[in-house]
Amino acid sequence: MHPKTTRFPEWIRQAWPSGAAHEEVKSLLGGLDLHTVCQSAQCPNQGECWGRRTATFMVLGNVCTRHCSFCGVRGGKPLPVDEAEPEKVAEAVARLGVRHTVITSVTRDDLPDGGAAHIARTIRAVKGRSPGVTIEALVQDFGGNPEFVGLVTAAAPEVFSHNIETVSRLHPAMRDRRFSYAGSLGVLRIARNQMDEGFVKSSFMLGCGESAEEVRGTLEDLLDTGCDAVAMGQYLRPGRVNGPVAEFVPPEKFAEYEALAYDLGFTFAVAGPLVRSSYRSEELLEKVRPRAGARKKTS
Ligand code: SF4
């Protein structure tokens, strides 16, 4: 890891969340006792996204059983699963009136299926209540278990998303040791092979000390799994207990990486300092649907 970087460049601007739409989303989510990754991970785009009445729902509670050094979500002993949560998320999506939503979760190593069936129930509840709404399921690794991944893909989200998080070399420092870079590639490969329709997406952070060659290598590894879409954003330290930022990557470098991803063969790529895995998630479907052909399967 590079030495700690403290200077905050002007291209990372975090608008303070405010406005009527933001208040409306906040009170709707609070009233239904729902969690969002927007709040739990202290996402810098909350002002913009909530202003557009979009949010990323975080099911299975807001306490994670893993301890990744980059993440702002609280770790510890999770609460019991709220069995009514799928219907509450469906209610919130219907009331927000959105056409697309992202559903994610904390990692629940304490549950027999990692929470896969609950996530699948949530996807089905949203689709049942709001036909036509498209969904990105941004899921954990489920220990690489194909059966648990299959519970999610069988619920037919339009996008199956699992984050590789960082380049291979930095995984041991950045991510909880209970899962690996190779394991995440395996999850993406499993999902690609299980899905006849829909896209497989992954995201990773820049500014953690990776080299340009390592970024390229990660993109190639993702493509090799059959992954269709990639998002790259700047790592921002969520709190004092988290690992330091090694570098603030300039916007033009992000533009180069985005172009590289397309050159290498991704169907959709987005890269920028404030890009997060769920940021402008709906663009993937809007941009690629008209030209998407049969999905590739890998062995
Ligand atoms: S980018 Fe995702 S997590 Fe961040 S505020 Fe927007 S929807 Fe929420």
Side-chain angles (χ1 to χ4, degrees):
M1 184 82 73
H2 287 188
K4 181 176 166 180
T5 299
T6 50
R7 207 159 36 89
F8 221 65
E10 44 81 29
W11 64 74
I12 311 246
R13 279 171 309 170
Q14 294 165 283
W16 190 252
S18 62
H22 182 271
E23 286 308 312
E24 190 188 334
V25 174
K26 191 171 165 185
S27 98
L28 170 63
L29 297 170
L32 290 168
D33 196 23
L34 291 171
H35 303 292
T36 63
V37 78
C38 322
Q39 294 162 299
S40 297
Q42 299 163 34
C43 180
N45 300 314
Q46 195 182 325
E48 178 190 335
C49 293
W50 286 28
R52 289 190 288 119
R53 297 164 61 82
T54 64
T56 292
F57 295 97
M58 191 165 75
V59 299
L60 295 165
N62 62 351
V63 181
C64 189
T65 52
R66 300 269 178 96
H67 302 278
C68 299
S69 75
F70 63 84
C71 185
V73 175
R74 188 154 55 99
K77 191 170 181 300
L79 294 170
V81 175
D82 177 1
E83 296 298 336
E85 192 170 52
E87 292 304 327
K88 289 188 204 169
V89 173
E91 171 75 18
V93 170
R95 282 178 27 198
L96 286 169
V98 290
R99 292 169 48 231
H100 177 83
T101 194
V102 185
I103 296 168
T104 191
S105 80
V106 288
T107 298
R108 292 292 303 255
D109 295 308
D110 58 314
L111 300 175
D113 67 353
H118 184 88
I119 294 167
R121 272 204 304 279
T122 308
I123 295 168
R124 291 196 173 96
V126 170
K127 285 180 174 283
R129 177 80 191 270
S130 304
V133 165
T134 55
I135 295 176
E136 174 173 337
L138 170 58
V139 298
Q140 43 143 322
D141 53 63
F142 301 117
N145 185 315
E147 196 188 322
F148 302 159
V149 174
L151 290 172
V152 177
T153 55
E158 279 68 22
V159 184
F160 177 99
S161 201
H162 171 66
N163 291 348
I164 193 80
E165 309 292 8
T166 183
V167 301
S168 176
R169 179 178 57 84
L170 297 176
H171 254 245
M174 297 289 287
R175 198 162 163 195
D176 188 293
R177 294 201 177 226
R178 276 169 277 185
F179 212 62
S180 65
Y181 181 86
S184 276
L185 293 178
V187 168
L188 293 164
R189 190 173 277 112
I190 291 164
R192 178 68 284 153
N193 285 332
Q194 289 176 344
M195 290 173 80
D196 289 325
E197 302 287 332
F199 297 94
V200 174
K201 176 179 162 188
S202 192
S203 305
F204 58 102
M205 302 168 286
L206 302 184
C208 304
E210 67 289 329
S211 67
E213 291 71 32
E214 287 175 317
V215 173
R216 185 188 183 97
T218 304
L219 290 170
E220 288 172 343
D221 287 345
L222 291 174
L223 269 178
D224 191 52
T225 69
C227 186
D228 309 282
V230 67
M232 291 168 272
Q234 169 72 50
Y235 168 59
L236 293 176
R237 188 185 200 186
R240 274 178 298 173
V241 296
N242 300 97
V245 172
E247 174 198 10
F248 287 108
V249 178
E252 43 300 355
K253 194 74 194 163
F254 275 105
E256 281 174 27
Y257 287 140
E258 186 177 301
L260 173 65
Y262 278 116
D263 286 349
L264 289 173
F266 279 94
T267 310
F268 177 83
V270 60
L274 293 179
V275 166
R276 294 293 174 267
S277 37
S278 52
Y279 182 54
R280 287 157 46 190
S281 161
E282 68 275 18
E283 271 183 28
L284 192 170
L285 297 169
E286 282 165 12
K287 280 191 182 166
V288 304
R289 264 200 171 136
R291 59 192 168 88
R295 314 282 5 116
K296 182 173 72 171
K297 295 208 172 197
T298 59
S299 54

Short mmCIF file of all heavy atoms in Angstrom, two decimals, residues 37 54-58 89 93 98 100-104 134-138 161 201 277-282:
data_model
loop_
_atom_site.label_atom_id
_atom_site.label_comp_id
_atom_site.label_asym_id
_atom_site.label_seq_id
_atom_site.Cartn_x
_atom_site.Cartn_y
_atom_site.Cartn_z
N VAL A 37 -27.51 1.05 1.31
CA VAL A 37 -26.05 1.11 1.33
C VAL A 37 -25.61 2.56 1.18
O VAL A 37 -24.51 2.93 1.58
CB VAL A 37 -25.45 0.17 0.26
CG1 VAL A 37 -25.52 0.76 -1.12
CG2 VAL A 37 -24.05 -0.24 0.62
N THR A 54 -33.74 7.56 -6.31
CA THR A 54 -33.22 6.21 -6.42
C THR A 54 -32.36 5.91 -5.20
O THR A 54 -31.69 6.80 -4.68
CB THR A 54 -32.37 5.99 -7.69
OG1 THR A 54 -31.22 6.82 -7.62
CG2 THR A 54 -33.14 6.30 -8.95
N ALA A 55 -32.39 4.66 -4.78
CA ALA A 55 -31.59 4.25 -3.64
C ALA A 55 -31.19 2.79 -3.83
O ALA A 55 -31.80 2.08 -4.62
CB ALA A 55 -32.40 4.40 -2.34
N THR A 56 -30.15 2.38 -3.13
CA THR A 56 -29.75 0.97 -3.17
C THR A 56 -30.15 0.32 -1.86
O THR A 56 -29.61 0.66 -0.80
CB THR A 56 -28.23 0.85 -3.41
OG1 THR A 56 -27.94 1.31 -4.72
CG2 THR A 56 -27.77 -0.59 -3.30
N PHE A 57 -31.11 -0.58 -1.94
CA PHE A 57 -31.62 -1.24 -0.73
C PHE A 57 -30.62 -2.27 -0.23
O PHE A 57 -30.08 -3.05 -1.01
CB PHE A 57 -32.96 -1.92 -1.03
CG PHE A 57 -34.03 -0.95 -1.39
CD1 PHE A 57 -34.33 -0.68 -2.71
CD2 PHE A 57 -34.72 -0.29 -0.39
CE1 PHE A 57 -35.31 0.24 -3.04
CE2 PHE A 57 -35.70 0.64 -0.71
CZ PHE A 57 -35.99 0.91 -2.04
N MET A 58 -30.41 -2.24 1.07
CA MET A 58 -29.52 -3.22 1.68
C MET A 58 -30.35 -4.12 2.59
O MET A 58 -30.80 -3.69 3.65
CB MET A 58 -28.41 -2.52 2.46
CG MET A 58 -27.32 -3.49 2.87
SD MET A 58 -25.83 -2.64 3.39
CE MET A 58 -26.36 -2.06 4.98
N VAL A 89 -39.51 -3.83 0.88
CA VAL A 89 -38.72 -3.28 -0.24
C VAL A 89 -39.63 -3.08 -1.46
O VAL A 89 -39.58 -2.04 -2.13
CB VAL A 89 -37.52 -4.19 -0.60
CG1 VAL A 89 -36.81 -3.68 -1.86
CG2 VAL A 89 -36.53 -4.27 0.56
N VAL A 93 -40.25 0.45 -3.36
CA VAL A 93 -40.00 0.63 -4.80
C VAL A 93 -41.27 1.13 -5.49
O VAL A 93 -41.23 2.05 -6.31
CB VAL A 93 -39.50 -0.69 -5.44
CG1 VAL A 93 -39.48 -0.60 -6.96
CG2 VAL A 93 -38.11 -1.04 -4.92
N VAL A 98 -39.93 4.12 -9.15
CA VAL A 98 -38.74 4.03 -10.01
C VAL A 98 -38.88 2.90 -11.02
O VAL A 98 -39.65 1.96 -10.82
CB VAL A 98 -37.45 3.83 -9.18
CG1 VAL A 98 -37.11 5.07 -8.40
CG2 VAL A 98 -37.59 2.63 -8.24
N HIS A 100 -36.09 1.27 -12.08
CA HIS A 100 -34.94 0.39 -11.88
C HIS A 100 -34.48 0.52 -10.44
O HIS A 100 -34.49 1.62 -9.88
CB HIS A 100 -33.81 0.80 -12.83
CG HIS A 100 -32.55 -0.01 -12.64
ND1 HIS A 100 -32.37 -1.24 -13.22
CD2 HIS A 100 -31.42 0.24 -11.95
CE1 HIS A 100 -31.17 -1.71 -12.89
NE2 HIS A 100 -30.58 -0.83 -12.12
N THR A 101 -34.05 -0.59 -9.86
CA THR A 101 -33.54 -0.49 -8.50
C THR A 101 -32.40 -1.48 -8.27
O THR A 101 -32.27 -2.46 -8.99
CB THR A 101 -34.67 -0.70 -7.47
OG1 THR A 101 -34.22 -0.28 -6.19
CG2 THR A 101 -35.09 -2.16 -7.38
N VAL A 102 -31.57 -1.17 -7.28
CA VAL A 102 -30.46 -2.05 -6.92
C VAL A 102 -30.75 -2.63 -5.54
O VAL A 102 -31.11 -1.91 -4.62
CB VAL A 102 -29.11 -1.29 -6.89
CG1 VAL A 102 -27.95 -2.26 -6.62
CG2 VAL A 102 -28.88 -0.53 -8.19
N ILE A 103 -30.59 -3.94 -5.44
CA ILE A 103 -30.78 -4.61 -4.16
C ILE A 103 -29.45 -5.27 -3.78
O ILE A 103 -28.89 -6.05 -4.56
CB ILE A 103 -31.89 -5.67 -4.25
CG1 ILE A 103 -33.23 -4.99 -4.56
CG2 ILE A 103 -31.99 -6.49 -2.96
CD1 ILE A 103 -34.35 -5.93 -4.95
N THR A 104 -28.96 -4.92 -2.61
CA THR A 104 -27.71 -5.52 -2.16
C THR A 104 -27.90 -6.02 -0.74
O THR A 104 -29.00 -5.94 -0.17
CB THR A 104 -26.54 -4.52 -2.27
OG1 THR A 104 -25.31 -5.22 -2.07
CG2 THR A 104 -26.64 -3.40 -1.26
N THR A 134 -36.84 -2.98 -13.43
CA THR A 134 -35.64 -3.80 -13.61
C THR A 134 -34.79 -3.76 -12.34
O THR A 134 -34.82 -2.77 -11.60
CB THR A 134 -34.82 -3.33 -14.83
OG1 THR A 134 -34.53 -1.95 -14.68
CG2 THR A 134 -35.57 -3.57 -16.12
N ILE A 135 -34.04 -4.84 -12.12
CA ILE A 135 -33.31 -4.99 -10.86
C ILE A 135 -31.86 -5.39 -11.09
O ILE A 135 -31.57 -6.27 -11.91
CB ILE A 135 -34.00 -6.07 -9.98
CG1 ILE A 135 -35.39 -5.60 -9.57
CG2 ILE A 135 -33.14 -6.39 -8.74
CD1 ILE A 135 -36.18 -6.63 -8.78
N GLU A 136 -30.96 -4.71 -10.37
CA GLU A 136 -29.59 -5.19 -10.25
C GLU A 136 -29.46 -5.81 -8.87
O GLU A 136 -29.71 -5.15 -7.86
CB GLU A 136 -28.58 -4.05 -10.41
CG GLU A 136 -27.15 -4.52 -10.13
CD GLU A 136 -26.08 -3.48 -10.42
OE1 GLU A 136 -26.34 -2.55 -11.23
OE2 GLU A 136 -24.99 -3.59 -9.84
N ALA A 137 -29.06 -7.09 -8.84
CA ALA A 137 -28.79 -7.75 -7.56
C ALA A 137 -27.28 -7.72 -7.34
O ALA A 137 -26.53 -8.38 -8.06
CB ALA A 137 -29.29 -9.19 -7.60
N LEU A 138 -26.87 -6.91 -6.38
CA LEU A 138 -25.43 -6.75 -6.08
C LEU A 138 -25.14 -7.61 -4.86
O LEU A 138 -25.47 -7.23 -3.74
CB LEU A 138 -25.13 -5.27 -5.82
CG LEU A 138 -23.76 -4.90 -5.26
CD1 LEU A 138 -22.65 -5.40 -6.16
CD2 LEU A 138 -23.66 -3.39 -5.09
N SER A 161 -24.70 -8.79 -10.08
CA SER A 161 -23.49 -8.02 -9.83
C SER A 161 -22.76 -8.57 -8.62
O SER A 161 -23.37 -8.85 -7.59
CB SER A 161 -23.94 -6.57 -9.58
OG SER A 161 -22.92 -5.68 -9.79
N LYS A 201 -22.13 -8.22 -13.92
CA LYS A 201 -21.36 -6.98 -13.74
C LYS A 201 -20.43 -7.11 -12.53
O LYS A 201 -20.74 -7.81 -11.57
CB LYS A 201 -22.37 -5.84 -13.52
CG LYS A 201 -21.78 -4.49 -13.22
CD LYS A 201 -22.93 -3.50 -13.06
CE LYS A 201 -22.52 -2.25 -12.34
NZ LYS A 201 -23.66 -1.39 -12.02
N SER A 277 -20.50 0.96 -7.37
CA SER A 277 -21.05 -0.17 -8.10
C SER A 277 -22.51 0.06 -8.49
O SER A 277 -22.94 -0.36 -9.55
CB SER A 277 -20.89 -1.46 -7.30
OG SER A 277 -21.05 -1.24 -5.95
N SER A 278 -23.24 0.76 -7.67
CA SER A 278 -24.66 0.95 -7.97
C SER A 278 -24.96 2.30 -8.63
O SER A 278 -26.09 2.56 -9.01
CB SER A 278 -25.46 0.87 -6.66
OG SER A 278 -24.90 1.73 -5.70
N TYR A 279 -23.94 3.14 -8.78
CA TYR A 279 -24.17 4.49 -9.29
C TYR A 279 -24.62 4.44 -10.75
O TYR A 279 -23.97 3.84 -11.58
CB TYR A 279 -22.88 5.30 -9.16
CG TYR A 279 -22.96 6.74 -9.60
CD1 TYR A 279 -23.92 7.60 -9.09
CD2 TYR A 279 -22.07 7.23 -10.53
CE1 TYR A 279 -23.97 8.91 -9.47
CE2 TYR A 279 -22.10 8.56 -10.92
CZ TYR A 279 -23.06 9.40 -10.39
OH TYR A 279 -23.11 10.71 -10.79
N ARG A 280 -25.72 5.08 -11.06
CA ARG A 280 -26.28 5.11 -12.41
C ARG A 280 -26.39 3.71 -13.00
O ARG A 280 -26.14 3.47 -14.19
CB ARG A 280 -25.45 6.03 -13.30
CG ARG A 280 -25.70 7.49 -12.93
CD ARG A 280 -24.60 8.43 -13.31
NE ARG A 280 -24.12 8.24 -14.66
CZ ARG A 280 -23.03 8.83 -15.16
NH1 ARG A 280 -22.34 9.64 -14.41
NH2 ARG A 280 -22.66 8.61 -16.38
N SER A 281 -26.79 2.78 -12.13
CA SER A 281 -26.90 1.37 -12.53
C SER A 281 -27.84 1.19 -13.72
O SER A 281 -27.63 0.33 -14.57
CB SER A 281 -27.41 0.58 -11.32
OG SER A 281 -27.93 -0.65 -11.70
N GLU A 282 -28.89 2.00 -13.77
CA GLU A 282 -29.88 1.83 -14.83
C GLU A 282 -29.31 2.11 -16.21
O GLU A 282 -29.84 1.63 -17.21
CB GLU A 282 -31.11 2.71 -14.56
CG GLU A 282 -30.89 4.21 -14.67
CD GLU A 282 -30.36 4.85 -13.39
OE1 GLU A 282 -29.84 4.10 -12.52
OE2 GLU A 282 -30.44 6.08 -13.27
#
